[in-house]
Amino acid sequence: MSAAHRTERADALVLFGITGDLAKKKLIPAVYRLALHDRLPDAVVGVARSGWDLDDLRRHIRTTLDESDHDVDDEVFERIARALRYVDGDYEDEDTYVRVAEAVADQQLPVFYFAIPPDLFDDVISGLVANGLHERARVVLEKPFGRDLASAQELNALLHRHFPESSIFRIDHFLGKEAVQNLMVFRFTNTLLDPVWNRYYVDNVQVTLAEDFGVEGRGRFYDGVGALRDVVQNHLLQVVALLAMEPPATDDPEALRDEIAKVLRAIRPFDPADVVRGQFEGYREEDGVEPDSDTETFVAVRAFVDSWRWAGVPWYIRAGKSMASTVTEAVVELKRPPRPMFTSTASVPEPNRLSFRMKPDDQITVAVQAKKPGEELESRPVSLVLSEAVDDGDAPGAYDRLLDDALDGDPRLFSRQDAVEAAWEAVQPVLDAPPPSELYRVGSWGPTGADRLVPGDVWNPCGEG
């Protein structure tokens, strides 16, 4: 495939699963914002097996937008309505793909978005191939990219039988978030960080993704997944990669993805002895959850990136549901000075910390020491805070950005095959031999057993600063 093909703007977007939950919550609002900014392709084709017709789909999209946070512009909606086409049919029926081919017959480069369960991928890919729709197309897949290393490799083999890697876009919406991208920008555009961004000065790094809500009616799905698969193997290892990677050699998207893949390959496979799994009290009473389920709703890991820059530095990763608050944050803690100065014996200075908060707001905090007011020459902790102003809604969301990038053929913020497999290799030992889950209270910070993983048995407090 030529570079021109890779970067050519697609003229059709085909959404398999257009009537599903993901489409309603994320994709339909993203399509609206594409239209709002004159980025809508010529054709938007919805595919589902709902027994609908085109008018039903138009009404569904209008209702979805009216119920969202959007102040719907009628002219923008009409733009979508004119581009919209609908194919209703079973994903195992060959005729469905004949009608998809007819719907994009006038388009030169379609993007096929799989907002469907992974067990349908084989049927859909086979249907596309049978009608030659794969020959000049891109395909976008939602996580999970497999359930473990073997299934991820099997999925990749299926895709690569018909699509080159440059036409496969594995979407992890975390990478589309403004705050996550700010990790890269802040790191590589501020030279004051680079001299200390290594094993000589960094004592440890902590990455937390906590949610104060439970499985929210998704018990059947979640019980077959768990926290390790749901957010650690993908979202949080991506954050680790962005914090640990070397600067890309060029502006080429593949240079960035090369550096991400290098970090993921350097992550030492997780030792189950360095992993604590937890389950919130009452989880087994959730609809769809097995009465004897051992699925983890919390996981904490002590991990290591065995690269030259990071050898020996522990990376503490935790994620959980029904916790004390909803916060996503990465905290880089520097080593303490060689000996305490300007302090009383009762007050040992805190180490310097650099915190990247990605949720609930976009905030960077640098915790340092400064003189305490008064006659004594004594230090106290102070925080330097960079907080992004709350946007008025004009900035693109994660799905807006990633959908637009897929239409452009820009793979920069999408996961590559080798990186996906490297991340699975890191978590595979825990999937093979998971330690038993420990119960924890709803509204807590997880099981107390997780405290043993970190120095002093105390995690850095989240959401402060």
Side-chain angles (χ1 to χ4, degrees), residues 232-387:
V232 174
Q233 182 273 337
N234 38 70
H235 298 338
L236 296 189
L237 288 190
Q238 290 284 357
V239 172
V240 170
L242 296 180
L243 287 169
M245 73 181 188
E246 300 299 321
T250 69
D251 290 336
D252 185 270
E254 292 307 321
L256 171 62
R257 303 211 294 176
D258 286 344
E259 298 305 329
I260 290 174
K262 287 178 186 176
V263 174
L264 294 173
R265 286 196 295 268
I267 294 176
R268 188 186 307 172
F270 294 173
D271 184 344
D274 285 339
V275 175
V276 174
R277 297 168 66 244
Q279 186 182 96
F280 67 78
E281 294 174 351
Y283 170 74
R284 292 180 180 179
E285 281 71 59
E286 295 277 351
D287 289 342
V289 173
E290 294 295 327
D292 59 349
S293 173
D294 189 52
T295 297
E296 78 280 356
T297 61
F298 171 96
V299 64
V301 183
R302 177 167 49 212
F304 294 90
V305 178
D306 290 333
S307 66
W308 187 268
R309 181 185 291 264
W310 295 108
V313 176
W315 293 70
Y316 302 105
I317 304 167
R318 62 174 171 171
K321 289 187 173 294
S322 292
M323 296 182 71
S325 65
T326 294
V327 59
T328 303
E329 190 169 66
V331 180
V332 180
E333 182 174 304
L334 301 183
K335 295 181 185 294
R336 295 177 184 271
R339 68 182 182 88
M341 295 183 68
F342 310 121
T343 181
S344 66
T345 56
S347 176
V348 177
E350 290 290 313
N352 298 148
R353 295 186 181 97
L354 184 63
S355 302
F356 297 90
R357 190 193 301 167
M358 293 155 271
K359 198 172 185 179
D361 53 8
D362 184 357
Q363 182 171 294
I364 298 172
T365 303
V366 182
V368 295
Q369 295 287 313
K371 183 184 178 300
K372 183 178 181 179
E375 295 181 0
E376 299 296 328
L377 196 60
E378 189 173 328
S379 68
R380 64 163 180 164
V382 296
S383 294
L384 311 177
V385 180
L386 170 63
S387 183

Side-chain angles (χ1 to χ4, degrees), residues 122 146 148-161 421:
D122 200 349
D148 51 22
L149 178 58
S151 59
Q153 291 171 331
E154 183 180 342
L155 174 59
N156 279 323
L158 168 66
L159 291 166
H160 286 147
R161 280 199 290 272
E421 293 187 7

